[in-house]
Amino acid sequence: MKIGVLALQGDVREHLAALRAVGAEPVPVRRRSELEAVDGLVIPGGESTTIVKLAKAFELFEPLHKRIAAGMPTFGSCAGMILLADRILDGVAGQETFGGIDMTVRRNAFGRQVESFEEPVPIEGIPGGPVTAVFIRAPWVEEVGPAAQVLARVEAGPATGRIVGIRQQHLLATSFHPELTGDARVHGYFLQMVREATAADRDECE
């Protein structure tokens, strides 16, 4: 599976390494031709408004929006979660997203960068116990529509019960940065999503 990492800002190198560790063929994506060549895409953390500005500057915003809407498997971490949300709280005026997941996300919900932390978080569908979730100026999900499936919640501390992992069909999003821990299970889960989507597309064409 050829999986792209949107290489405009954020932990691009770390996502490429995690995807490689689970057997994918990872490639950075900065151009429309590179986007068209991948089976799935990772949108890394960073600054969501900056990623949108850069996507427009590289003429990627509309192609990305269309491919996501058309069913391309996409995984967004941290800022990537914001960019896959249909609705945002505490965003800048007129802030845009690629959309796709029927959820409302609150930007910087966990506080400033100095308030970053790690927390073990169980994720539905990922065996082997909780993953170590790294939260850096992270969002959380305030509201979930009926089409979306909650995969993970914080289980301790003042944010107990907050939604930090979600899936809607071909889209996956986490508040945290799984690429920073050396545990590639979330990327393996996403790779399986890409394989299933590719097999389904193949069956439709036969």
Side-chain angles (χ1 to χ4, degrees), residues 25-137:
E25 180 186 349
V27 294
V29 170
R30 298 184 186 89
R31 299 175 178 83
R32 184 169 184 168
S33 59
E34 294 166 341
L35 175 64
E36 292 171 348
V38 299
D39 301 301
L41 183 74
V42 174
I43 304 174
E47 172 54 52
S48 56
T49 54
T50 300
I51 292 172
V52 167
K53 289 176 182 177
L54 291 171
K56 290 186 174 183
F58 281 79
E59 299 182 342
L60 275 173
F61 185 87
E62 284 303 322
L64 264 169
H65 176 76
K66 289 178 180 177
R67 278 216 67 189
I68 291 169
M72 176 180 67
T74 306
F75 166 40
S77 64
C78 198
M81 169 182 267
I82 296 169
L83 291 168
L84 289 177
D86 285 344
R87 300 170 299 278
I88 305 175
L89 297 175
D90 293 340
V92 301
Q95 182 167 352
E96 297 177 86
T97 70
F98 304 123
I101 299 181
D102 184 7
M103 63 179 175
T104 302
V105 168
R106 186 177 295 277
R107 287 179 78 232
N108 299 331
F110 285 96
R112 298 170 298 168
Q113 188 142 347
V114 294
E115 297 168 302
S116 302
F117 67 101
E118 296 183 7
E119 185 76 33
V121 174
I123 303 178
E124 185 177 336
I126 296 183
V131 304
T132 299
V134 179
F135 296 91
I136 304 172
R137 293 181 60 203

Side-chain angles (χ1 to χ4, degrees), residues 2-3 24 28 34 87 93 96 109-110 134 148 159 187 191 200 202-203:
K2 182 177 285 189
I3 299 182
E34 294 166 341
R87 300 170 299 278
E96 297 177 86
F110 285 96
V134 179
H187 292 79
L191 177 60
R202 190 181 301 121
D203 289 344

